[in-house]
Amino acid sequence: AAPPAAYCATAPAPATPRKLCDARRCSFGEWARPCCRRGCGRPAPLGVKANGYPYETCCRGCAEGRAHDARCEPGSAADGAASCSVAADPAARAAALALLRAIAGDASGAGADRSLASRILRDRLHPWAEPLRCFDLDCACLPQRAAASEGPWLAHLEVYHATLGTALFCSLCDAHTQALQGFWRQKGARILDRGLKANDDLQAHALATIRRVWGEVVDRSHSQEYCDRAATKIVHSGTQTEYTPPSCGPIQSSYWTEKLGVPAERATADVERVVRVALVNPKARFDDGHLPLYHGIAATGFDAWAKSGPAFVAYPGRFGEGVYLTPSFQMACMYAFRTPQTVAAAAKDRGGPRFASTPDGRWNYMLVFQAMARASALESFSGTAFTDAGDGWDLEAQ
């Protein structure tokens, strides 16, 4: 992961650390503001732009290489201790409850909770010091669902309100609210973690698996984790063609139960997380002559790719020899989930798992390869085993 950003010290640390919830402590020095990326030494504002991402420069003048704006001052991260509780401060209470509503997300979204909100804020506000960018939403004393009673939420924020003062506390709540609302307004794929900054167990396993089989081919800066998607089909920013972005959620097809006799409880995969590991490939082209397509890979046999590297060779299939691809993320997952009849080496393999498990047994995972395919080399055929799992694509497009 990239090294943490430098922070501007804006106030001396007191002798006694302040308490965060029941188990976490931090000194006042941790409330520092991020430094302007232009290297002038002044702090950037603790606010966000219209797109929900934070300001990275201290002022417009500095951003454009000119003199600092008149209102650009070093300032302090805190404006004095608050004199009353959050509940008794009308402005602070209103800002805190607005943030609580933003944490709940949109009704059609991915079932937002405080853990998801914490990950969104850590990604979007990553230049900020930790106590300022998620208000410790992972604290065990908070209800998981954002729709719970406001009492525990307001009580949780007391230390921030008391430390920051009403004005800065409200500004930070507003910034958090705008960052979350910007995420929920995002069209198409919703990116949860650009650069895989969390580097948790699952992300680390994904990176290690690719490196173990394919070597040092990972492009960490373009790797990312997805949440859900606001639309089934979107236009790719590079090729300007439609495709289905990756997404969390259940995937299923009647093929498993009706054709191969897989028990219903084993015929659905609940995709909880999608981690994209970007590969360094100088031959990749993101233009209107290429299409973003998917191919489901058997995670159980991924080690066999070590000799070829991330390159395909033609193989026999229902429509002849070739490399089979689809614009549907869900359909590609079906081929990565279990073994369909068309690729089964023996009858006993039909319906068997192609997914694998992490060494600690915590996760089952599938592998889906996304390729930029040359449009002129594609040949389309209609009808697959998973016509009911095609993300809305018609039969020929699947």
Side-chain angles (χ1 to χ4, degrees):
Y7 291 96
C8 298
T10 56
T16 304
R18 291 181 179 271
K19 187 176 182 181
L20 284 179
C21 299
D22 292 328
R24 183 174 172 183
R25 293 178 180 271
C26 77
S27 69
F28 192 78
E30 289 184 70
W31 304 93
R33 292 160 58 176
C35 284
C36 173
R37 71 174 183 179
R38 300 282 294 185
C40 68
R42 295 191 179 191
L46 288 174
V48 298
K49 297 172 283 189
N51 63 1
Y53 286 92
Y55 291 103
E56 296 177 309
T57 56
C58 59
C59 64
R60 182 181 294 274
C62 191
E64 297 176 352
R66 299 182 285 102
H68 289 279
D69 295 348
R71 293 182 298 175
C72 179
E73 297 293 340
S76 172
D79 61 357
S83 58
C84 61
S85 67
V86 177
D89 186 328
R93 182 175 184 276
L97 294 183
L99 175 55
L100 182 62
R101 290 190 295 271
I103 291 172
D106 58 354
S108 62
D113 55 35
R114 59 179 177 83
S115 295
L116 176 58
S118 175
R119 297 193 66 199
I120 295 169
L121 291 172
R122 281 197 169 96
D123 177 54
R124 295 224 161 190
L125 306 180
H126 71 272
W128 293 7
E130 172 70 13
L132 300 181
R133 62 179 168 154
C134 73
F135 283 154
D136 203 22
L137 294 180
D138 292 328
C139 176
C141 67
L142 282 173
Q144 181 65 16
R145 304 301 301 179
S149 170
E150 66 183 54
W153 172 244
L154 297 182
H156 173 75
L157 294 179
E158 285 294 348
V159 65
Y160 298 92
H161 180 240
T163 304
L164 298 170
T166 296
L168 188 54
F169 174 81
C170 290
S171 294
L172 282 173
C173 284
D174 290 345
H176 285 60
T177 299
Q178 293 173 39
L180 289 168
Q181 290 174 341
F183 178 85
W184 294 120
R185 286 195 305 266
Q186 189 173 332
K187 296 180 179 179
R190 288 168 170 154
I191 309 302
L192 192 60
D193 185 352
R194 299 177 190 272
L196 304 183
K197 295 182 292 295
N199 199 33
D200 58 20
D201 291 346
L202 184 63
Q203 290 183 0
H205 171 74
L207 293 167
T209 298
I210 299 301
R211 291 189 175 113
R212 175 175 54 81
V213 176
W214 285 340
E216 294 300 324
V217 296
V218 174
D219 180 356
R220 185 68 172 266
S221 63
H222 288 90
S223 299
Q224 55 199 27
E225 182 164 344
Y226 292 86
C227 184
D228 64 347
R229 58 194 179 200
T232 305
K233 298 179 185 177
I234 63 172
V235 176
H236 191 277
S237 59
T239 66
Q240 297 303 305
T241 56
E242 278 193 322
Y243 84 112
T244 300
S247 178
C248 300
I251 59 168
Q252 56 190 347
S253 172
S254 60
Y255 173 82
W256 300 121
T257 54
E258 296 178 6
K259 298 293 185 181
L260 297 188
V262 176
E265 66 273 14
R266 295 173 178 261
T268 300
D270 187 4
V271 180
E272 186 172 340
R273 295 177 62 179
V274 180
V275 178
R276 185 180 80 171
V277 180
L279 306 180
V280 176
N281 183 0
K283 295 182 179 180
R285 295 292 178 267
F286 298 86
D287 54 35
D288 56 9
H290 292 76
L291 299 173
L293 301 173
Y294 299 103
H295 178 90
I297 293 177
T300 51
F302 185 50
D303 286 352
W305 285 70
K307 293 182 179 180
S308 66
F312 287 96
V313 294
Y315 57 90
R318 177 179 176 183
F319 301 108
E321 195 170 81
V323 177
Y324 286 74
L325 303 164
T326 174
S328 166
F329 177 73
Q330 186 178 32
M331 181 174 290
C333 286
M334 283 289 125
Y335 283 96
F337 178 38
R338 292 188 175 276
T339 308
Q341 183 174 339
T342 53
V343 300
K348 64 180 180 63
D349 297 328
R350 295 173 185 172
R354 302 186 88 199
F355 59 86
S357 301
T358 56
D360 61 4
R362 181 181 177 188
W363 300 95
N364 292 322
Y365 66 93
M366 300 180 292
L367 292 177
V368 173
F369 193 100
Q370 185 178 30
M372 300 304 296
R374 190 169 68 251
S376 61
L378 293 174
E379 189 175 358
S380 297
F381 298 93
S382 62
T384 74
F386 307 109
T387 55
D388 59 349
D391 283 320
W393 296 91
D394 59 37
L395 290 181
E396 183 176 356
Q398 290 178 9

